[in-house]
Amino acid sequence: MKNGDTSTSSINFKQVARALSIVENDLSGSAHLLKSLTFNKPAPIIGITGPPGAGKSTLVNELINNLLKEGNKIAVLAIDPTSPFNFGSLLGDRIRMASHFNHPDVFIRSLATRGSLGGLSAKTIEMADVLRAAGFDYVLIETVGVGQSEVEITGLADVTLVVLVPEAGDEIQHIKSGLMEIADAFIINKADRPDADIFFNNLKKIIGQNKDGQTAIFKTIASQAIGIDKVVDFIKSTSPQKNKRKELLLTEKAYKLIQHQLTQHIDKKKLQQDIAEALNMGGFNLYTFVDSYL
């Protein structure tokens, strides 16, 4: 991959995929690759989040269709939940985006959370940067669940879309404070369902109580490609603002990287063996052990 290449026609998808695998799995050369990234024409990152079953993948599929009409090249990171027991992931978002698998202007990569409780893999930031440097026009990141993942995605994304369904009326009362903070726009998907208009009006009232400026709300039926054009127009018209959450997210990421550099000389297997020996000696105190180990 030629880092910083602004010619979208020159994007080599195989090289991009290889670079992502190197970064995701911390393979040899990962650190050098990340340090060499340049962003001559960084693509805006569009975050799509919301509860399971809201139709996020179908919506993303239609966003791709619409953006392709203008000759854009689009990258998608579809983040799938990981089992907390075996860390396996179904990576099911690929199935719902199957129509774009072989499209020459669309690159799709599924990414497991790998046990990250917030819904974003620790590698998401790095992989998003690889895509931004590759020369795509848009990078779409679809996250899982509702909760901490929304806080994380708003720190990473230039535009954050929160997808809800009319049945979420009760749920939004519990999570509204977090949602109000992170959404650049709300999308009520499956708007052909009963009570969609009631939910729209209630959401509008809640937003008015929690924010100075009115956050945009769109009604869509993604399965029928209805309302998608207005969402795309909003994405195009929204200029990225200075994102304080991005500073917080990157601070946390930098802290973890520094922590990794300072502790990489510690062999975890040997640490476990040393703890086992210390336990056998009796009178084990974790804090005294750690202090002596350092």
Side-chain angles (χ1 to χ4, degrees):
M1 181 177 64
K2 211 181 244 189
N3 298 324
D5 192 342
T6 60
S7 173
T8 58
S9 61
S10 67
I11 298 176
N12 186 317
F13 282 14
K14 288 184 178 179
Q15 290 184 6
V16 172
R18 190 177 304 116
L20 289 174
S21 294
I22 290 172
V23 169
E24 181 182 8
N25 297 294
D26 262 332
L27 301 179
S28 176
S30 173
H32 175 74
L33 188 155
L34 291 169
K35 290 176 183 177
S36 67
L37 293 177
T38 55
F39 306 96
N40 295 330
K41 193 196 83 170
I45 295 177
I46 312 302
I48 300 97
T49 189
K56 297 186 296 295
S57 295
T58 305
L59 179 73
V60 169
N61 198 58
E62 291 305 322
L63 289 176
I64 294 171
N65 281 333
N66 201 302
L67 291 169
L68 284 174
K69 294 177 182 177
E70 298 182 358
N72 292 304
K73 285 192 178 286
I74 303 157
V76 180
L77 272 182
I79 303 172
D80 287 277
T82 305
S83 166
F85 302 105
N86 59 20
F87 298 114
S89 175
L90 291 176
L91 303 180
D93 292 314
R94 291 191 182 193
I95 298 173
R96 289 179 285 277
M97 300 177 197
S99 61
H100 294 116
F101 279 172
N102 297 319
H103 197 289
D105 295 330
V106 181
F107 179 90
I108 300 174
R109 178 70 168 242
S110 289
L111 176 65
T113 58
R114 296 189 174 188
S116 172
L117 296 178
L120 291 185
S121 164
K123 290 295 179 182
T124 304
I125 298 174
E126 296 169 350
M127 295 174 73
D129 278 340
V130 170
L131 294 173
R132 288 174 65 238
F136 289 97
D137 295 295
Y138 292 93
V139 176
L140 307 181
I141 299 181
E142 178 194 341
T143 74
V144 295
V146 171
Q148 184 62 25
S149 61
E150 291 168 339
V151 176
E152 292 179 353
I153 193 60
T154 195
L156 177 59
D158 297 300
V159 178
T160 300
L161 307 176
V162 175
V163 186
L164 299 168
V165 288
E167 296 88 340
D170 293 333
E171 181 182 358
I172 198 172
Q173 295 299 326
H174 300 289
I175 59 178
K176 61 183 181 181
S177 58
L179 286 173
M180 297 310 110
E181 294 175 2
I182 66 101
D184 292 303
F186 289 98
I187 299 175
I188 302 175
N189 194 29
K190 306 180 182 181
D192 53 339
R193 291 185 175 181
D195 298 330
D197 290 335
I198 295 175
F199 181 64
F200 177 92
N201 291 329
N202 288 340
L203 180 59
K204 193 173 182 180
K205 291 176 183 178
I206 293 172
I207 292 173
Q209 295 169 0
N210 286 272
K211 296 199 80 166
D212 296 330
Q214 188 70 32
T215 304
I217 309 176
F218 301 98
K219 290 192 288 186
T220 64
I221 308 174
S223 60
Q224 301 176 35
I226 295 175
I228 305 300
D229 53 343
K230 293 182 180 179
V231 178
V232 171
D233 288 342
F234 173 81
I235 291 172
K236 293 177 181 177
S237 64
T238 303
S239 57
Q241 303 294 320
K242 183 174 176 59
N243 192 335
K244 291 184 178 180
R245 289 192 181 279
K246 186 169 293 184
E247 295 174 2
L248 293 173
L249 182 68
L250 291 175
T251 299
E252 183 65 21
K253 181 64 178 177
Y255 181 83
K256 289 179 180 178
L257 289 172
I258 293 169
Q259 188 179 49
H260 174 71
Q261 291 293 330
L262 292 175
T263 60
Q264 62 181 348
H265 66 283
I266 297 178
D267 186 330
K268 271 196 170 184
K269 288 185 178 180
K270 186 177 185 305
L271 176 61
Q272 184 176 352
Q273 292 172 357
D274 292 342
I275 287 178
E277 292 177 3
L279 284 171
N280 289 332
M281 294 176 63
F284 178 79
N285 181 290
L286 177 62
Y287 306 99
T288 301
F289 174 86
V290 169
D291 188 58
S292 63
Y293 205 84
L294 294 175

